[in-house]
Amino acid sequence: MDPVIGIDLGTTYSAVATLDSGRPLLIPSRAGARLTPSVVGFTAMGERVVGERAQILGDEAPDRVAPATKRFIGKRWSQGLEKAARAVVPYPVLSGPQGEVRIRVAGRVMPLTQVSAMLLGELKLDAEAHFGRPVSKAVITVPANFDEGQRQATREAARIAGLEVLRLLNEPTAAAMAYGLVNSFQGRALVFDLGGGTFDVSVLEMENGVYEVKATGGDPQLGGDDFDARIVQWLVAQVPDLHREAVMKDRVSMQRLRYAAERAKRTLSDQVEAFISVGELGDHQEGAPERYCQLDTALTRDFFQTLAEPLTTRCIDVCRSVLDEAKLTPGDIEAVMLVGGMTRMPLVRQLVTQLFGRQPVTGVNPDEAVALGAAVHAAELVSRQGQTLLIDVATHTMSVGVLGGTVRKLIARNSPVPATARETFLPGRTGQTQARIPVFQGESEFADECTKLGEVVLTDINVVNRAEVPIEVTFELSNEGTLSVRAVDTTTGMAEAIRIEARTTLSTTEVDSLSQEQAAYSQQQAEKDKVLAISTFPRVLDKAERLVRLLEKSAEENPSPEADSAVGQVKALLAQGRVAVKLGDTAQMAEVTRLLERLVALT
Ligand code: AMP
């Protein structure tokens, strides 16, 4: 069977995993790390760097890297968005031809789906190096509160990266699947997922492999970056008056402060005080080093908790409201699962423990749970063995715009998906020949406070009398949150349908050309990886030979059928490995390496 993977495309870190002999397994990056920073950059020579190398480049040259782009993916550009972006990211956000967000990094203007595609492409290459062969099928996770546009953009990024999306899966649901499998947990669970840019909460019932989401909610504008921004504000207030304005206007200085703030925040998860030292603060446009200043200060955990209190309070409020929607109380929850790097903050753990009266469950790394769960689901989708069943809910209310600027709700938030709803509407005015049915997503009663997803237009209708032309509108929401809308003129049977899903942010031509660019890059990298795999494999065989000698010796000293079998297994792998070398078969080499690692872990 072709390998399949689960990808957690996070705001700050991403991860890729697979199912290995029934257990979810995180695939390390080719650089050997478990997580890949979600950062893309370009060196002064124009070379693309992704992940850790981009993060390192960002320390030196913040204007050459693009971190946290997931914050803006699938959104429309607005002045408000631009202003908000200034507070959290080092790059300018611009409007593309369709009003979509693009960014300028290292002098190039890029669509955000291209940036995400570069990250996905890197994870795909990591998985391919792990398996020694191409990988094209993936489950990709998204925050539960991602709307249609954001989900669509994620799919577009996958297309550019050459990945077939088996399904987009909500992050908290994915995490619950990983915790459920690893801890063999059954019962009612709450997933508290505080990442770099978003906050999601889901309540699930987990029973015999059935994962039923009861309610989900969150805050799409609340994440670790906001905690960093609070520290940055406090740091800026300490910059000497003479320099403060220049520092605040300078993107490079602000990014330096952001990096320092993030590091201090992490330190404060383990220690009670963090020392912060940031140099070269000033106007980098003018480039006047003699006017730069230096900031040295210390932040205590207590004071950071005071700075962060409005944010942690918001997290707890969201938990309460999701519990209300699920008609449950904190006491009804039997397991609290923490996901996302920010849940390492002691205050967050403390508040969660207080609210639920129990310690969060352990057993799965909060940074890895989402990717591991995505891998579990990906394996289920291709094998269809029926070991797990997922019943998810609509994460937003879907409505039709009606007269008076209000909306009529057809599918309510937290209804189980897939869902179908049908309602009959009477078009506006007598004499009208066209009916427009606008479709909205959002929780407000008012259309202008919801997001418009699109509209269905029925032409050639003849309204002599309003009551005579009833139009039946049907909404179908798929199990991954994609909406299709159909409208029928019930007098003539004429129908129009839109698949809201069909909306893409970029033109097909641009998507095609970006896909080609990405494919060419991936091919080059894959060839380099192949050469590397072939040149390093002899070391694996050396190790296997040493292992055979060791096992033979111990079998001589303590003879047993098990000892003989261990020797036989390693010898067989060794033989398989030698054949792989002869054939230059990297898939075989990868398989031998994996099996050997597993044997070593067992012995
Ligand atoms: P995620 O999107 O799940 O990768 O979460 C990343 C967020 O978690 C970022 O804002 C990180 O700064 C934050 N984070 C990671 N590790 C820690 C830590 N040890 N203490 C506090 N925050 C952390």
Side-chain angles (χ1 to χ4, degrees):
M1 201 163 62
D2 280 345
V4 288
I5 50 174
I7 294 183
D8 168 11
L9 184 61
T11 309
T12 37
Y13 286 93
S14 296
V16 53
T18 188
L19 204 67
D20 187 73
S21 308
R23 305 284 296 173
L25 172 85
L26 204 86
I27 300 177
S29 73
R30 284 161 295 152
R34 295 179 74 78
L35 303 176
T36 296
S38 304
V39 189
V40 165
F42 298 92
T43 63
M45 305 297 286
E47 188 202 351
R48 181 198 297 189
V49 282
V50 183
E52 208 164 334
R53 282 184 67 202
Q55 202 174 41
I56 293 167
L57 175 67
D59 273 341
E60 290 303 311
D63 55 334
R64 300 207 147 269
V65 299
T69 52
K70 184 175 166 186
R71 283 202 154 221
F72 315 110
I73 196 163
K75 293 200 172 165
R76 299 199 81 69
W77 185 90
S78 69
Q79 280 181 343
L81 181 131
E82 164 154 34
K83 196 163 160 249
R86 272 182 171 272
V88 282
V89 292
Y91 43 81
V93 298
L94 319 162
S95 172
Q98 316 291 327
E100 80 280 5
V101 179
R102 298 196 177 212
I103 59 167
R104 186 178 306 114
V105 54
R108 346 174 158 212
V109 174
M110 296 168 72
L112 289 180
T113 46
Q114 186 186 14
V115 179
S116 292
M118 289 178 173
L119 293 167
L120 289 171
E122 201 64 19
L123 300 167
K124 182 172 182 279
L125 284 165
D126 288 336
E128 290 177 342
H130 174 80
F131 290 110
R133 57 192 169 130
V135 175
S136 60
K137 291 188 169 77
V139 163
I140 301 179
T141 58
V142 289
N145 53 44
F146 251 25
D147 66 18
E148 276 281 327
Q150 292 165 307
R151 284 168 198 261
Q152 183 53 38
T154 307
R155 279 188 168 275
E156 186 175 275
R159 200 173 317 138
I160 297 172
L163 279 170
E164 180 194 332
V165 182
L166 295 169
R167 181 166 170 176
L168 292 180
L169 181 64
N170 291 332
E171 287 165 9
T173 313
M177 286 181 149
Y179 275 105
L181 191 79
V182 171
N183 293 349
S184 309
F185 170 80
Q186 314 251 8
R188 218 174 272 133
L190 180 136
V191 181
F192 181 106
D193 180 358
L194 186 59
T198 57
F199 178 49
D200 277 335
V201 173
S202 288
V203 174
L204 296 100
E205 288 247 6
M206 296 157 56
E207 216 68 72
N208 300 322
V210 178
Y211 296 79
E212 187 177 355
V213 182
K214 291 292 181 192
T216 188
D219 186 334
Q221 301 301 336
L222 175 59
D225 295 347
D226 300 286
F227 288 73
D228 304 347
R230 296 235 144 208
I231 303 179
V232 170
Q233 255 181 2
W234 173 77
L235 289 175
V236 165
Q238 294 177 66
V239 171
D241 291 351
L242 186 65
H243 298 276
R244 193 172 306 118
E245 206 179 318
V247 168
M248 283 170 73
K249 280 193 188 145
D250 185 67
R251 285 183 186 275
V252 175
S253 301
M254 290 304 284
Q255 188 57 23
R256 278 182 205 274
L257 291 174
R258 249 175 245 132
Y259 277 138
E262 202 261 350
R263 266 186 224 122
K265 177 187 73 177
R266 283 169 184 262
T267 305
L268 292 175
S269 291
D270 302 320
Q271 289 163 35
V272 291
E273 191 168 27
F275 295 96
I276 302 173
S277 174
V278 197
E280 289 186 27
L281 293 171
D283 186 346
H284 285 75
Q285 294 285 342
E286 288 285 313
E290 68 284 359
R291 276 189 267 137
Y292 288 162
C293 68
Q294 164 95 18
L295 182 67
D296 293 294
T297 185
L299 177 61
T300 63
R301 184 187 283 172
D302 278 351
F303 191 63
F304 171 47
Q305 293 185 346
T306 310
L307 286 176
E309 205 210 72
L311 304 173
T312 46
T313 306
R314 261 162 74 190
C315 293
I316 296 303
D317 289 348
V318 169
C319 287
R320 288 188 198 282
S321 86
V322 174
L323 283 173
D324 280 351
E325 293 213 22
K327 301 191 175 50
L328 296 171
T329 64
D332 296 325
I333 300 296
E334 294 156 280
V336 183
M337 301 168 176
L338 296 184
V339 185
M342 272 310 300
T343 58
R344 295 186 189 279
M345 181 176 171
L347 180 63
V348 169
R349 289 179 170 254
Q350 191 185 317
L351 291 174
V352 168
T353 308
Q354 259 167 25
L355 176 66
F356 293 97
R358 61 170 68 240
Q359 291 286 340
V361 293
T362 52
V364 179
N365 184 327
D367 299 318
E368 300 175 0
V370 172
L372 296 173
V376 172
H377 197 50
E380 171 62 34
L381 289 176
V382 290
S383 71
R384 301 205 172 275
Q385 288 183 342
Q387 282 174 351
T388 56
L389 172 68
L390 169 61
I391 307 166
D392 219 325
V393 292
T395 51
H396 298 89
T397 299
M398 304 289 179
S399 316
V400 161
V402 290
L403 289 179
T406 57
V407 297
R408 178 95 53 84
K409 297 184 175 177
L410 263 74
I411 297 177
R413 186 157 75 129
N414 285 327
S415 317
V417 287
T420 304
R422 197 165 284 128
E423 201 157 315
T424 303
F425 294 89
L426 300 170
R429 274 157 284 131
T430 300
Q432 194 171 309
T433 58
Q434 233 191 26
R436 286 180 175 273
I437 293 122
V439 179
F440 290 94
Q441 167 181 284
E443 306 317 309
S444 171
E445 308 273 307
F446 300 102
D448 60 1
E449 291 175 0
C450 294
T451 308
K452 187 171 173 184
L453 296 176
E455 56 184 15
V456 198
V457 183
L458 270 178
T459 47
D460 293 333
I461 59 164
N462 184 11
V463 185
V464 180
N465 177 338
R466 260 193 95 203
E468 283 170 6
V469 189
I471 289 181
E472 189 184 78
V473 176
T474 308
F475 275 21
E476 269 177 20
L477 192 60
S478 77
N479 54 11
E480 64 170 29
T482 332
L483 182 69
S484 308
V485 182
R486 192 177 141 84
V488 183
D489 173 348
T490 52
T491 53
T492 62
M494 267 184 21
E496 279 296 333
I498 43 167
R499 274 181 76 76
I500 302 282
E501 175 189 51
R503 250 173 9 130
T504 55
T505 50
L506 303 181
S507 71
T508 320
T509 334
E510 189 169 9
V511 170
D512 287 347
S513 108
L514 294 175
S515 308
Q516 280 162 16
E517 190 185 314
Q518 176 64 27
Y521 172 86
S522 298
Q523 196 182 343
Q524 242 180 23
Q525 295 296 316
E527 273 160 22
K528 277 193 206 162
D529 292 340
K530 189 170 173 176
V531 172
L532 189 71
I534 292 175
S535 70
T536 53
F537 190 63
R539 263 185 267 152
V540 175
L541 292 185
D542 286 349
K543 244 197 238 166
E545 275 169 8
R546 278 201 301 274
L547 187 62
V548 169
R549 285 198 294 274
L550 217 83
L551 289 172
E552 277 176 340
K553 195 162 167 249
S554 100
E556 260 173 44
E557 286 164 5
N558 299 304
S560 76
E562 290 78 23
D564 287 346
S565 145
V567 173
Q569 279 182 30
V570 184
K571 277 189 170 169
L573 281 177
L574 200 52
Q576 213 179 323
R578 289 195 180 117
V579 174
V581 171
K582 245 187 222 145
L583 301 175
D585 183 341
T586 47
Q588 184 87 292
M589 293 180 200
E591 165 108 4
V592 168
T593 310
R594 275 202 316 276
L595 293 174
L596 268 172
E597 274 166 7
R598 205 180 304 154
L599 271 178
V600 171
L602 291 177
T603 48

